[in-house]
Amino acid sequence: EIIGFLNDYMSRMVNCITLSHGNVDKFEGDAIMAVWGILRDETLDFENLPDSDPKKAELAAMHKKHIKEDALNAITGTIAMRYALMKYNKDAVAFTEAHKEEERAQYKPHIRIGCGLNTGRATAGIMGSADKMEYTAIGDAVNFASRTESSNKPCGTDILITEDTHAILKEEIDNGTLVVEKIPV
């Protein structure tokens, strides 16, 4: 039963991640690690160009645009996950109510989640050993996102974003032009 409801829950969350252009990095018990922008075919070689090269400014602006898109997509996916979870919990209550008279009552538990969003550079690749390899992202930005997610419970929140992510979207937030795409969940 536990595996069944976790697979149902995770399927809903993965759908939100995928629809918002994210990628599931891994499942860690009942947690999901997701990344946005990690599979973009973009190098940072432009950073080695001389400042006088106009191509450097053009490529840097394009990179900055991609970072902003990824941050917004991550927020979109996270909000979609929140709505999908609300729907799951509503369905779980209805399911439990419908099965309460059965000899062996079936129920689906109420689930709460915490999401931590951070924006930064990560190293991504296939890592592991000769016996087991998997694609993953590592680095300070990834670790900080994990610590941010862990702060939800003591803060009594379900979504926290770091100052790094906020700074990228601050202009749109401040002037009220931040638009989060509605995705079907």
Side-chain angles (χ1 to χ4, degrees), residues 6 8 20 24 28 31 33 36 38 43-44 53 84 98 124 136-137 154-155 159 175 183:
L6 278 174
D8 181 22
S20 63
V24 172
E28 297 174 349
M33 178 178 154
W36 282 260
I38 201 86
T43 71
L44 299 175
D53 188 333
T136 192
C155 291
I159 299 173
N175 65 25
I183 60 176

Side-chain angles (χ1 to χ4, degrees), residues 73-86:
N73 284 338
I75 289 171
T76 300
T78 302
I79 292 170
M81 289 167 64
R82 189 168 190 264
Y83 282 110
L85 185 64
M86 290 167 54

Side-chain angles (χ1 to χ4, degrees), residues 60-112:
M62 181 62 71
H63 182 66
K64 185 176 178 180
K65 178 179 177 254
H66 287 154
I67 290 171
K68 187 178 279 193
E69 288 170 356
D70 295 336
L72 185 55
N73 284 338
I75 289 171
T76 300
T78 302
I79 292 170
M81 289 167 64
R82 189 168 190 264
Y83 282 110
L85 185 64
M86 290 167 54
K87 182 174 180 349
Y88 172 87
N89 284 329
K90 185 178 176 181
D91 292 347
V93 168
F95 178 88
T96 301
E97 183 65 25
H99 293 86
K100 71 180 181 183
E101 300 298 325
E102 294 180 16
E103 184 177 317
R104 185 173 177 264
Q106 295 182 26
Y107 81 101
K108 291 187 178 185
H110 182 87
I111 299 176
R112 291 198 62 211

